[in-house]
Amino acid sequence: MMNFLIGAGLMTILLLAILMVPLLSKDKTRKTDSLPQANLDIYRDQFKELEDELARGAITQKEYDEGRTELERRVLEDSAPSIQLDNVNPKAGIYTFIMLVLLVPMAASFFWMVTQPLGDFRLDGGKWEAVADYNTGQIVKNEGEMHDLDETITKLRDRLSQDPSDLQGWMIYGRTMLTMRKYSDAATAFERALNLAPGNPQIMVDLADAVGMVQGQDLTGEPWNLLQRALKADPTNWKALMMAGTDFFNKGNYRMAVMYWERLLKTLSPNDAMTRAVKASIQEARDLGRILGPVPDTLDFGQAAAEPQQPPMMSQAMKGMNQSPVPNMSSMTTEAQQPEKVTHTISGIVEITPEMAFKIGDKDTLYITARPASGSRAPIAQQHIKVLDFPVHFQIDNTMHPPVDMGAGTLDQHERVIITARLSKEGSIMPSNGDLEGQIAEPANVGANDVVVKIDEEYHR
């Protein structure tokens, strides 16, 4: 806030200085006054010529009178500006400047004091401002929290100091610090999280990301060891494969970059938005390294899974390839797992109101999410469907995991849940302006098969 006030004050002073130059200038009257005087000298000569011509008999008295009348009219017209300038108060510019110096800061201060209790100037009143999850981009906010992001982060720090065993809190704090480019704080948070969940591959990857940024985008040492440990636990971890390939690319080892990125490519579906970017990066590495033919996969941390996994976001500074926003992120495993059995389900239909129906696009994606009945924003399970027509039938079960484990558990650990539906225009798990959304009025029992979710409003941040 102090930086804003200082900046606003400096801008006000600069504006007043710019206005001061023309207002306090004393040359304007003299410059505008000289033109009519020059014209009068010309008119005197013309009057004299008329009189001489009349005296010689070159013109008649009538022609002389008409010519004189025309000259007198032109003299009056050209003399008018000088008459107005003579009536101008020479101190008017000084008075105007003094009023601006006094009124502008006073008006700005008054406006600031009046609007300060509102919190901010946005139409939503800051309703949607909070800590953003770094990997998913989702807003993590509890109802009733303050709008100011710094205050929200301070509350999160206080909560962590009171409860250092809050794994979800450390993950949210770490990802927020990554987003804000406070890499040392992010690394500390992920270290705390890793102590609480040893061997968690996603935490190891996030920690490697943060430490690598602290080291100047260098993954040598601890970050590289963390990536290798994460890949041994989860050989399809998108972010780890991307970072490893990027590190080799930046160091000029294009063959290893191709190896990691081709492993990454096997985890993506053909329709994934990232597939084209990964292929382009592989081709660039092949061109730079003059690599022809296949590159044997000699990576020693297992084989790529048959089922495609879609990527979380990573820090902007890891730029080994052209990366675009990533839609439709699926679940990230916390360790290598055996196939889960479906034991708990909840199903129903998603409807849409007539007012919202005409806003549906051909490429919209429907995200159906189960959340705790307590009202927490942490997702329990999520399903996404390409919508062709409404109503849409859905079924969520205990094997479906959210994009990031935020500590809400699985469906079989809850008796009642809240079901929400969001129709995304961009195919992203992060809400954006123009998305259509809705949720059930009351929590539903797990096991219910007649849940009805109605999409009836448009999302605006």
Side-chain angles (χ1 to χ4, degrees), residues 240-253:
L241 292 170
M242 160 109 168
M243 290 175 61
T246 300
D247 189 60
F248 277 118
F249 183 91
N250 292 338
K251 293 177 179 178
N253 192 336

Side-chain angles (χ1 to χ4, degrees), residues 97-124:
F97 175 72
I98 294 174
M99 293 300 293
L100 286 173
V101 170
L102 295 177
L103 290 180
V104 170
M106 290 176 61
S109 301
F110 174 76
F111 181 74
W112 181 81
M113 287 187 294
V114 170
T115 58
Q116 180 65 14
L118 300 179
D120 55 46
F121 307 106
R122 290 167 297 174
L123 293 177
D124 64 357

